[in-house]
Amino acid sequence: MNIFQNLNNIKSTLPSHVTLVAVSKTKPISDLMEAYNAGQRIFGENKIQEMTEKWEQMPKDIEWHMIGHVQTNKVKYMAPYVSLIHGIDSLKLLQEINKHAAKNNRVIDCLLQVYIAEEESKFGLDEKELGEILQFVQNDNSLNNIKIVGFMGMATFTDDLNQIKKEFLYLKSLFDKHKELNTANCQLNTLSMGMSGDYQLAIECGSTIVRIGSSIFGTR
Ligand SMILES: *Cc1c(COP(=O)(O)O)cnc(C)c1O
């Protein structure tokens, strides 16, 4: 595994408007530092405790993205430093993030996670719940310490590219439907979709952030 080379190969294929999150969950700090030394400054983790331990030990110019499911009782640990939370799937969670962001005098950028896969196991909002949260947030003047900047979705785990494409395009259509929203706490400019196996397709379908783990750091 040559992390430096993997990273550079992937970066050379990404259009300039697409941001790369290096998904480093389960990997040791030495691996992350290899990516850091190759210029990578955005890392994604799916467990708050693991991310916080890495944040404490690593250079402070790194942006940490929480890409996993968030438990409300752990929000406080990442509130001081997290730069983007990808997996918001309830208003309650959003309110909890707002509370801890306020305690830290910060505004935390958030993505609403939309359920686009066929599998039952994935987290996320359906179209109706998504609309309801956006409606609520726009009309609420207490949510001043979060900002919804876009959506995140995970496609079905399948080899069927047509299926995956359909799901990505569905998420893009929801994004387009809501992208005119323009309040202090809601301005959509980010679409997080695509992982090691499907990021090229995701970019074709309008992704602006890809979350890539195994193609950079090897299998977990
Ligand atoms: C692990 C993970 C990824 C990265 O997956 P790879 O297939 O290793 O690139 C992306 N997004 C989420 C939400 C993940 O949990």
Coordinates of all heavy atoms in Angstrom, one line a residue, residues 165-217:
K165 N -26.6 4.8 -10.2 CA -26.7 6.1 -10.9 C -28.1 6.7 -10.6 O -28.3 7.9 -10.4 CB -26.5 5.9 -12.4 CG -26.5 7.1 -13.2 CD -26.1 6.9 -14.6 CE -26.2 8.2 -15.4 NZ -25.8 8.0 -16.8
K166 N -29.1 5.8 -10.7 CA -30.5 6.3 -10.4 C -30.6 6.9 -9.0 O -31.2 7.9 -8.8 CB -31.4 5.0 -10.5 CG -32.8 5.3 -10.7 CD -33.6 4.0 -11.0 CE -33.9 3.3 -9.7 NZ -34.6 2.0 -9.8
E167 N -29.9 6.3 -8.0 CA -30.0 6.8 -6.7 C -29.2 8.1 -6.5 O -29.7 9.1 -5.9 CB -29.4 5.7 -5.7 CG -30.3 4.5 -5.7 CD -29.7 3.3 -4.9 OE1 -28.6 3.4 -4.4 OE2 -30.3 2.2 -4.9
F168 N -28.1 8.2 -7.2 CA -27.3 9.5 -7.1 C -28.1 10.6 -7.8 O -28.2 11.7 -7.3 CB -26.0 9.3 -7.8 CG -24.9 8.6 -7.0 CD1 -23.9 7.9 -7.6 CD2 -25.0 8.6 -5.6 CE1 -22.9 7.3 -6.8 CE2 -24.0 7.9 -4.8 CZ -23.0 7.2 -5.5
L169 N -28.7 10.3 -8.9 CA -29.5 11.3 -9.7 C -30.7 11.8 -8.9 O -31.1 12.9 -8.9 CB -29.9 10.8 -11.1 CG -28.7 10.7 -12.0 CD1 -29.2 10.2 -13.4 CD2 -28.0 12.1 -12.3
Y170 N -31.3 10.8 -8.1 CA -32.4 11.2 -7.3 C -32.0 12.2 -6.2 O -32.6 13.2 -6.0 CB -32.9 9.9 -6.6 CG -34.0 10.1 -5.5 CD1 -35.2 10.8 -5.8 CD2 -33.7 9.7 -4.2 CE1 -36.1 11.0 -4.8 CE2 -34.7 9.9 -3.2 CZ -35.9 10.6 -3.5 OH -36.8 10.8 -2.6
L171 N -30.8 11.9 -5.6 CA -30.3 12.9 -4.6 C -30.0 14.2 -5.2 O -30.3 15.3 -4.6 CB -29.1 12.3 -3.9 CG -28.5 13.1 -2.7 CD1 -29.6 13.4 -1.6 CD2 -27.3 12.4 -2.1
K172 N -29.4 14.2 -6.4 CA -29.1 15.5 -7.1 C -30.4 16.2 -7.4 O -30.5 17.4 -7.3 CB -28.4 15.1 -8.4 CG -28.1 16.3 -9.3 CD -27.1 17.3 -8.7 CE -26.5 18.2 -9.7 NZ -27.3 19.3 -10.1
S173 N -31.5 15.5 -7.7 CA -32.7 16.2 -8.0 C -33.3 16.8 -6.8 O -33.9 17.9 -6.8 CB -33.8 15.2 -8.7 OG -34.3 14.4 -7.7
L174 N -33.1 16.2 -5.6 CA -33.6 16.8 -4.4 C -32.8 18.1 -4.1 O -33.3 19.1 -3.6 CB -33.5 15.8 -3.2 CG -34.4 14.6 -3.3 CD1 -34.2 13.7 -2.1 CD2 -35.9 15.0 -3.3
F175 N -31.5 17.9 -4.3 CA -30.6 19.1 -4.1 C -31.0 20.3 -5.0 O -31.2 21.4 -4.5 CB -29.2 18.7 -4.4 CG -28.1 19.7 -4.2 CD1 -27.6 20.0 -3.0 CD2 -27.6 20.4 -5.3 CE1 -26.7 21.0 -2.8 CE2 -26.7 21.4 -5.1 CZ -26.2 21.7 -3.8
D176 N -31.3 20.0 -6.3 CA -31.7 21.1 -7.2 C -33.0 21.7 -6.8 O -33.2 22.9 -6.9 CB -31.8 20.5 -8.6 CG -30.4 20.2 -9.2 OD1 -29.4 20.8 -8.7 OD2 -30.3 19.5 -10.2
K177 N -33.9 20.8 -6.3 CA -35.2 21.3 -5.9 C -35.1 22.3 -4.7 O -35.9 23.2 -4.6 CB -36.0 20.1 -5.4 CG -37.4 20.4 -4.9 CD -38.2 19.1 -4.7 CE -39.3 19.3 -3.7 NZ -39.9 18.0 -3.3
H178 N -34.1 22.1 -3.8 CA -34.0 23.0 -2.7 C -32.9 24.0 -2.7 O -32.7 24.8 -1.8 CB -33.9 22.1 -1.4 CG -35.0 21.2 -1.1 ND1 -36.2 21.8 -0.6 CD2 -35.2 19.9 -1.2 CE1 -37.1 20.7 -0.4 NE2 -36.5 19.6 -0.8
K179 N -32.2 24.0 -3.8 CA -30.9 24.8 -3.7 C -31.1 26.3 -3.7 O -30.2 27.1 -3.4 CB -29.9 24.4 -4.8 CG -30.3 24.8 -6.2 CD -29.2 24.3 -7.2 CE -29.7 24.7 -8.6 NZ -29.1 23.8 -9.6
E180 N -32.3 26.8 -4.0 CA -32.6 28.2 -3.9 C -32.7 28.8 -2.5 O -32.7 30.0 -2.3 CB -33.8 28.6 -4.7 CG -33.9 28.1 -6.2 CD -32.7 28.7 -7.0 OE1 -32.3 29.8 -6.7 OE2 -32.2 28.0 -7.9
L181 N -32.9 27.9 -1.5 CA -33.0 28.3 -0.1 C -31.9 29.2 0.2 O -30.7 28.9 -0.1 CB -33.0 27.1 0.8 CG -34.2 26.1 0.7 CD1 -34.0 24.9 1.6 CD2 -35.5 26.9 1.0
N182 N -32.2 30.3 0.9 CA -31.1 31.2 1.2 C -31.4 32.0 2.5 O -31.9 33.1 2.5 CB -30.9 32.2 0.1 CG -29.7 33.0 0.3 OD1 -28.9 32.7 1.2 ND2 -29.5 34.1 -0.5
T183 N -31.2 31.3 3.6 CA -31.4 31.9 4.9 C -30.0 31.8 5.6 O -29.1 31.1 5.1 CB -32.4 31.2 5.8 OG1 -32.1 29.8 6.0 CG2 -33.8 31.3 5.2
A184 N -29.8 32.5 6.7 CA -28.5 32.5 7.4 C -28.1 31.0 7.8 O -26.9 30.7 7.7 CB -28.6 33.3 8.7
N185 N -29.1 30.2 8.1 CA -28.7 28.9 8.6 C -29.0 27.8 7.5 O -28.9 26.6 7.8 CB -29.5 28.5 9.9 CG -31.0 28.6 9.7 OD1 -31.5 28.7 8.6 ND2 -31.7 28.6 10.8
C186 N -29.2 28.2 6.3 CA -29.5 27.2 5.3 C -29.1 27.7 3.9 O -29.8 28.5 3.3 CB -30.9 26.8 5.3 SG -31.3 25.4 4.2
Q187 N -28.0 27.2 3.4 CA -27.5 27.6 2.0 C -26.8 26.4 1.4 O -25.8 26.0 1.8 CB -26.5 28.8 2.1 CG -27.1 30.1 2.3 CD -26.2 31.1 2.8 OE1 -25.0 31.1 2.6 NE2 -26.7 32.1 3.6
L188 N -27.5 25.8 0.4 CA -27.0 24.5 -0.1 C -26.0 24.7 -1.2 O -26.3 25.3 -2.2 CB -28.2 23.7 -0.6 CG -29.4 23.5 0.3 CD1 -30.5 22.6 -0.3 CD2 -29.0 22.9 1.7
N189 N -24.8 24.2 -0.9 CA -23.7 24.3 -2.0 C -22.9 23.0 -2.0 O -22.0 22.9 -2.8 CB -22.8 25.5 -1.7 CG -22.3 25.5 -0.3 OD1 -22.0 24.5 0.3 ND2 -22.3 26.7 0.3
T190 N -23.3 22.0 -1.2 CA -22.5 20.8 -1.1 C -23.3 19.5 -1.2 O -24.4 19.4 -0.6 CB -21.8 20.8 0.3 OG1 -21.1 22.0 0.5 CG2 -20.9 19.6 0.5
L191 N -22.8 18.6 -2.1 CA -23.5 17.3 -2.3 C -22.5 16.2 -2.0 O -21.5 16.0 -2.8 CB -24.1 17.3 -3.7 CG -25.1 16.1 -4.0 CD1 -26.2 16.0 -2.9 CD2 -25.7 16.4 -5.4
S192 N -22.6 15.5 -0.9 CA -21.6 14.5 -0.5 C -22.1 13.2 -0.9 O -23.0 12.6 -0.3 CB -21.4 14.6 1.0 OG -20.7 13.4 1.5
M193 N -21.5 12.7 -2.0 CA -21.9 11.3 -2.5 C -20.7 10.7 -3.2 O -20.0 11.4 -3.9 CB -23.2 11.2 -3.2 CG -23.3 12.1 -4.4 SD -25.0 12.1 -5.1 CE -24.7 12.8 -6.7
G194 N -20.5 9.4 -3.1 CA -19.4 8.7 -3.8 C -18.4 8.2 -2.8 O -17.9 9.0 -1.9
M195 N -18.0 6.9 -2.9 CA -17.0 6.3 -2.1 C -16.0 5.6 -3.0 O -16.0 5.9 -4.2 CB -17.6 5.3 -1.1 CG -19.0 5.8 -0.6 SD -19.7 4.9 0.8 CE -19.1 3.3 0.8
S196 N -15.1 4.8 -2.5 CA -14.1 4.2 -3.4 C -14.6 3.6 -4.6 O -14.1 3.8 -5.7 CB -13.3 3.2 -2.6 OG -12.5 3.8 -1.6
G197 N -15.7 2.8 -4.5 CA -16.2 2.1 -5.6 C -17.1 2.8 -6.6 O -17.3 2.4 -7.7
D198 N -17.6 4.0 -6.2 CA -18.5 4.7 -7.1 C -18.3 6.2 -7.2 O -19.2 6.9 -7.7 CB -20.0 4.3 -6.6 CG -20.2 4.7 -5.2 OD1 -19.5 5.6 -4.6 OD2 -21.2 4.2 -4.6
Y199 N -17.1 6.6 -6.8 CA -17.0 8.1 -6.8 C -17.0 8.8 -8.2 O -17.5 9.9 -8.3 CB -15.8 8.5 -6.0 CG -14.4 8.3 -6.6 CD1 -13.8 9.3 -7.3 CD2 -13.7 7.1 -6.4 CE1 -12.6 9.1 -7.9 CE2 -12.5 7.0 -6.9 CZ -11.9 7.9 -7.7 OH -10.7 7.7 -8.2
Q200 N -16.5 8.0 -9.2 CA -16.5 8.7 -10.5 C -17.9 8.9 -11.0 O -18.3 9.9 -11.5 CB -15.7 7.8 -11.5 CG -14.2 8.2 -11.5 CD -13.3 7.0 -11.4 OE1 -13.7 5.9 -10.9 NE2 -12.0 7.2 -11.7
L201 N -18.7 7.8 -10.8 CA -20.1 8.0 -11.2 C -20.8 9.1 -10.4 O -21.6 9.8 -10.9 CB -20.8 6.6 -10.9 CG -22.3 6.4 -11.3 CD1 -22.5 6.8 -12.8 CD2 -22.7 5.0 -11.0
A202 N -20.5 9.1 -9.1 CA -21.1 10.2 -8.2 C -20.8 11.6 -8.8 O -21.6 12.5 -8.8 CB -20.6 10.0 -6.8
I203 N -19.5 11.8 -9.2 CA -19.1 13.1 -9.7 C -19.9 13.4 -11.0 O -20.4 14.5 -11.2 CB -17.6 13.1 -9.9 CG1 -16.9 13.1 -8.6 CG2 -17.2 14.4 -10.7 CD1 -15.4 12.8 -8.7
E204 N -20.0 12.4 -11.9 CA -20.9 12.6 -13.1 C -22.3 13.0 -12.7 O -22.9 13.7 -13.5 CB -21.0 11.3 -13.9 CG -19.8 10.9 -14.7 CD -19.9 9.5 -15.3 OE1 -21.1 9.1 -15.6 OE2 -18.9 8.8 -15.4
C205 N -22.8 12.5 -11.6 CA -24.1 12.8 -11.2 C -24.2 14.1 -10.3 O -25.3 14.4 -9.8 CB -24.7 11.6 -10.4 SG -24.9 10.1 -11.4
G206 N -23.1 14.8 -10.1 CA -23.2 16.1 -9.5 C -22.6 16.2 -8.1 O -22.8 17.2 -7.4
S207 N -21.9 15.2 -7.6 CA -21.3 15.2 -6.3 C -20.2 16.3 -6.2 O -19.5 16.6 -7.2 CB -20.6 13.9 -6.0 OG -19.8 14.0 -4.8
T208 N -20.1 17.0 -5.1 CA -19.1 18.0 -4.9 C -18.1 17.5 -3.7 O -17.1 18.2 -3.5 CB -19.6 19.4 -4.5 OG1 -20.2 19.3 -3.2 CG2 -20.7 19.8 -5.5
I209 N -18.5 16.5 -3.0 CA -17.5 15.9 -2.0 C -17.5 14.4 -2.1 O -18.6 13.8 -2.0 CB -18.0 16.2 -0.5 CG1 -17.9 17.7 -0.2 CG2 -17.0 15.5 0.4 CD1 -17.9 18.0 1.3
V210 N -16.4 13.8 -2.3 CA -16.3 12.4 -2.3 C -15.6 11.9 -1.1 O -14.7 12.5 -0.6 CB -15.6 11.8 -3.6 CG1 -16.5 12.0 -4.8 CG2 -14.2 12.4 -3.8
R211 N -16.1 10.8 -0.5 CA -15.6 10.2 0.7 C -14.8 8.9 0.4 O -15.5 7.9 0.2 CB -16.7 10.0 1.7 CG -17.7 11.2 1.9 CD -18.8 10.8 2.8 NE -19.5 9.6 2.4 CZ -20.5 9.5 1.6 NH1 -21.1 10.6 1.1 NH2 -21.0 8.3 1.2
I212 N -13.5 9.0 0.4 CA -12.8 7.8 -0.1 C -11.8 7.2 0.9 O -11.0 8.0 1.5 CB -12.0 8.2 -1.4 CG1 -13.0 8.6 -2.5 CG2 -11.2 7.0 -1.9 CD1 -12.3 9.0 -3.8
G213 N -12.0 6.0 1.3 CA -11.2 5.3 2.3 C -10.3 4.2 1.7 O -9.1 4.4 1.6
S214 N -10.9 3.1 1.4 CA -10.0 2.0 1.0 C -9.1 2.2 -0.2 O -8.0 1.6 -0.3 CB -10.9 0.7 0.8 OG -12.0 1.0 0.1
S215 N -9.5 3.0 -1.1 CA -8.7 3.3 -2.3 C -7.5 4.1 -1.9 O -6.5 4.2 -2.7 CB -9.4 4.0 -3.4 OG -10.4 3.1 -4.0
I216 N -7.5 4.7 -0.8 CA -6.3 5.5 -0.3 C -5.5 4.7 0.7 O -4.3 4.5 0.6 CB -6.7 6.8 0.4 CG1 -7.5 7.7 -0.6 CG2 -5.5 7.5 1.0 CD1 -8.1 9.0 0.0
F217 N -6.2 4.1 1.7 CA -5.5 3.5 2.8 C -5.5 2.0 2.8 O -4.9 1.3 3.7 CB -6.2 3.9 4.2 CG -6.1 5.4 4.4 CD1 -7.2 6.2 4.3 CD2 -4.9 6.0 4.9 CE1 -7.1 7.6 4.6 CE2 -4.8 7.3 5.1 CZ -5.9 8.1 5.0

